[in-house]
Amino acid sequence: MFVVSTRGNPWGETVRTVPSVIEFDTQGEHFVADVTQEGDRYLAEVRGHPECFTEGGNEAELRRYLVEVTDGMLFGLGEKVAR
C-alpha cells in the first residue's frame, strides 16, 4: 500500500513553523504576543492588551501586523478609516 500526499503529512500531524510566543518592540516598549494556529493561519494576541490581535500566514507577517496593530491601538499611530 502506498500513500501519497501533496499537502504535508497525510496522518494529520501539523508542523509548527511559527513560535508559540513572539516578542517585539515598538515605540520604545517591549511586548509579548501569544500565537495559536488555526488551520493554515496563525492568530496572535498581545499579552495584557486583548484589543491588540491579528492573524497572518507566517512569522514575518505576524511580526509586521503585531507592530501595526499595537501602534494603532495603544499609541494612536494607525491610519483612520472612513466609514
Side-chain angles (χ1 to χ4, degrees):
M1 179 170 134
F2 294 95
V3 176
V4 177
S5 174
T6 60
R7 294 186 55 95
N9 186 330
W11 291 277
E13 294 177 23
T14 51
V15 177
R16 187 173 188 91
T17 59
V18 174
S20 60
V21 173
I22 292 179
E23 296 188 38
F24 64 100
D25 297 304
T26 186
Q27 304 302 314
E29 293 192 34
H30 185 76
F31 296 93
V32 177
D34 295 306
V35 179
T36 57
Q37 186 174 1
E38 191 171 289
D40 62 348
R41 304 293 292 169
Y42 297 92
L43 311 175
E45 181 179 309
V46 179
R47 286 185 187 168
H49 301 283
E51 72 278 17
C52 296
F53 59 91
T54 191
E55 70 172 298
N58 57 51
E59 184 176 357
E61 277 186 3
L62 277 179
R63 287 183 178 280
R64 185 171 66 246
Y65 298 156
L66 281 166
V67 169
E68 287 177 10
V69 74
T70 303
D71 283 350
M73 295 301 292
L74 300 182
F75 301 105
L77 300 176
E79 294 180 23
K80 302 289 184 196
V81 177
R83 291 183 182 226

